[in-house]
Amino acid sequence: MRCAVVTAAGTAKDADDDGHATGAEAAREAVREDGRAPGGRPPGGVGKARMPTGPRYPARCAELSGHEHRTADRLAARLAGHGCTVTRSVGGGHGLVGVLRNGPGPTVLLRTELDALPVTEATGLPYASTTPGVMHACGHDLHIAAVAGAVAHLAATRDTWRGTVLVVGQPEEETLRGARSLLTEGRLYERFGVPDAVLAQHAAPLPAGTLAHVSAGGPPLMAGSLAVEAVL
């Protein structure tokens, strides 16, 4: 299977993937252009087969900012099951950090958000939210599935890499409070070390199997926010 890599400048190149499903594939059961799933299987059930956690649980059990206890429980259990040392209540609330060590080498941090939005889901999908008035309208269920799948793959292929993987489950992303609590009250970098790279992914309306990134030395991509408060 081939994967298109799109930079922030809009250029693209092809890159071989490693045969493992991306978060988008797992979450949306995406298929190749020839209509078949990776590995030649017909579409249907691809996400469950290739990404053990799938997006279905977090999607169905969507929780608002500050109330992500079931989502955090589920992710923590997945990480622990793949050999991570998991620390809960980082920064208070439902923040968590999983550490997967594999000898000397660089440290890479993978971030996923945990919270959903106060939106009523009307998609009719079989894994639609069962929480009244709450749904993962910003793709955080996909992000959780992608991170869990990445850890599963890394844990199963330890002979191909060296270093440390930090997995951060960030609560309250939608209210802009979660990151601050992780860094200040949780003392994230003081307790777990400063990573050599941080990959804070986000879903985008791109074709399945496409990865957008910034060229070396380029500006931040999807990494900033601006809040305006008007007092009349």
Side-chain angles (χ1 to χ4, degrees), residues 6 22-25 27-28 109-117 135-147 168 170 172-176 198-214 220-225:
V6 182
T22 64
E25 288 172 320
R28 310 304 178 199
L109 187 153
L110 308 178
R111 189 286 308 250
T112 181
E113 316 93 316
L114 304 178
D115 53 345
L117 286 166
M135 73 169 288
H136 276 291
C138 197
H140 296 181
D141 52 336
L142 186 153
H143 304 165
I144 295 168
V147 163
V168 174
Q170 177 186 336
E172 300 185 271
E173 189 271 346
E174 296 293 354
T175 60
L176 307 181
V198 176
L199 303 178
Q201 63 182 0
H202 203 288
L206 299 172
T210 301
L211 173 67
H213 73 100
V214 177
L221 175 67
M222 302 179 71
S225 63

Side-chain angles (χ1 to χ4, degrees), residues 24-45:
E25 288 172 320
R28 310 304 178 199
E29 296 187 355
V31 296
R32 300 183 310 190
E33 292 182 359
D34 61 7
R36 299 186 67 81
R41 295 187 303 274

